[in-house]
Amino acid sequence: MARSLQSGNRVTLPNRTSSAARVKRSWADQLLSTFGQVPCYETPIPGMDYLTQFTVEANSYEQLFELNYLKMLCSLHDYLADQLQPFSNITPYRNIWSLPNYISCLSPNLLANCSFLTEDDIRYVHAIVDYCRPYRRQIVNCRRNCFVDCPRCSDVPENCSSQMIFDFFYRILPKNLNSQPIYINGFLPIFTLSGYRSRGFYNATVNHYINLQNALRNFSRQRRSFILKGLSMDIKRDILYDGAKRDSLLACGAAFCVFFVVFLYSLNVLFCFTVAFMLLGSVLSALALYSLFTTTFPLLNLVVFVLLLAIGSDDAFVLLNSFPPTDVTPATVHECLSHTASAMLLTSASTAVPFFTNILSSVVVFRQVLSSSEFFIVKFDFKRRRCFGLFAGLTLVFNYLLEISFLPAVLIFQNRRMHRRCSSAWRLFRKLNYLMRDLLPFVIVSGRFIWLTSLAVIVALAGFTCYTNLQFPEYNPLQLFVNSNEHEWYDNNAEREFA
């Protein structure tokens, strides 16, 4: 009985689908797709401030209402289809809210999207925008802090009080419509990377945003009228590491130039390798001690390498220039080190002490939480300390110790060869030697009053120029890339242009 009931409860259906059902699903999919491509709305879009944004430069306000220019901007939707596809399951939106889509929504012809724009639609919307321009401040103040069921603005005309008019003036068009060039903003139908991560969505990766960024750049290269200026994706810190790796080649080039100058001055390959080994030893020794306090190595620490090249090579030049050319004896070496070691100590200490002081800094850019560890049986709690100051200070300390111990030992070992080749080097730099030892002292002693007066005037003018022309960044205090970078441009100018 149980077996018959079990088999009787199972209803066998044919494994096929009727053609009518297939047609119905296809029609529904097409309807949903068409509905999803309609960019118009009457209420505020939830989370619009957290969507990925891009900024484009145009020649003038009148160019914004040219049909060819709007068609070009409208084609961006199809061009980015492949790059937007990975976000399809984690975004509720399907439209790019840009200038042409807003014009299509404000048109009285009920256009589905910007691909149906005509000259009549553009002229109509152009007239509406010109009519509402004088009320921009009232429009923005009326709806800026309203997110649900916003009332009609009482102090602006009825045609200018809709939600799309507000977003058009507040989010798309800049504050100054008479500027040349003029910048317009656009919103992609995806949230920023930090927006997804803050909600626990990790399907959106940095590579997805980089692909989207590259597609926008390619679109800009293929269409000259599309001048991409800014991007807001919240991926600056994520792409900083790759940028730092690329720029490390510049540090290698700087190191090569420094060692080449050292070679020209000393004409000794062994001395060049000695200086390079000394700098490398300073870094490795500092890293070994640094690793006892923390395993975290922020990218900001890479700046120390460039700093070490400058200070380490300077001290090497000072020691080489003061080293006795003949009769290298304990007395002459003692006399040399008694002067150079104290001078190098002052220069190294004056640089290392501020870095060690930076351990106590509260500036966020230098902050890195360190774990507590035991060192020489003493437990140092380095929580809330700063990695950059610690690593920079340790590197300079080890560099000084090697400068006064390892480098003089090599010079003593090579004193005869160094003496012969340094003489050739001085013949090579005889013009510079004449300028520094003969001409410069004569000019300073003879015209000391003129120098004092002129330098005082220069300092006063420089101070006035700095006071009047320089200022702290207002919108982007922590700039990671050059001003022309799209992400930095947006952080530097978006609030100034569109807020």
Side-chain angles (χ1 to χ4, degrees), residues 366-433:
F366 298 133
R367 186 173 64 194
Q368 187 69 34
V369 178
L370 306 182
S371 60
S372 59
S373 61
E374 291 189 2
F375 182 66
F376 291 119
I377 317 178
V378 180
K379 188 174 182 179
F380 294 93
D381 186 9
F382 276 89
K383 292 181 179 180
R384 303 178 63 85
R385 296 298 189 260
R386 280 57 177 168
C387 292
F388 175 70
L390 176 65
F391 179 61
L394 290 176
T395 303
L396 294 178
V397 169
F398 281 108
N399 176 72
Y400 172 73
L401 295 177
L402 292 176
E403 290 273 8
I404 62 174
S405 58
F406 176 73
L407 193 57
V410 174
L411 291 177
I412 294 173
F413 181 76
Q414 289 285 318
N415 70 88
R416 293 184 179 179
R417 188 175 305 175
M418 291 295 299
H419 166 66
R420 183 170 59 252
R421 298 188 179 182
C422 282
S423 299
S424 302
W426 279 116
R427 287 196 298 270
L428 184 65
F429 289 95
R430 60 184 180 274
K431 293 184 179 180
L432 181 62
N433 186 31

Side-chain angles (χ1 to χ4, degrees), residues 119-138:
E119 291 285 359
D120 293 336
D121 300 316
I122 297 173
R123 281 194 294 269
Y124 179 85
V125 176
H126 193 177
I128 291 181
V129 174
D130 288 340
Y131 176 71
C132 297
R133 281 178 62 178
Y135 303 96
R136 182 190 183 279
R137 179 179 299 177
Q138 293 87 333

Side-chain angles (χ1 to χ4, degrees), residues 101-163:
N101 270 333
Y102 274 89
I103 292 179
S104 66
C105 290
L106 295 175
S107 170
N109 296 325
L110 303 177
L111 303 179
N113 52 59
C114 57
S115 60
F116 301 99
L117 278 175
T118 63
E119 291 285 359
D120 293 336
D121 300 316
I122 297 173
R123 281 194 294 269
Y124 179 85
V125 176
H126 193 177
I128 291 181
V129 174
D130 288 340
Y131 176 71
C132 297
R133 281 178 62 178
Y135 303 96
R136 182 190 183 279
R137 179 179 299 177
Q138 293 87 333
I139 294 172
V140 172
N141 293 337
C142 174
R143 288 181 175 264
R144 175 182 290 175
N145 298 321
C146 180
F147 304 101
V148 180
D149 297 332
C150 300
R152 192 183 74 83
C153 302
S154 58
D155 53 348
V156 297
E158 184 175 358
N159 292 342
C160 305
S161 62
S162 66
Q163 181 65 37

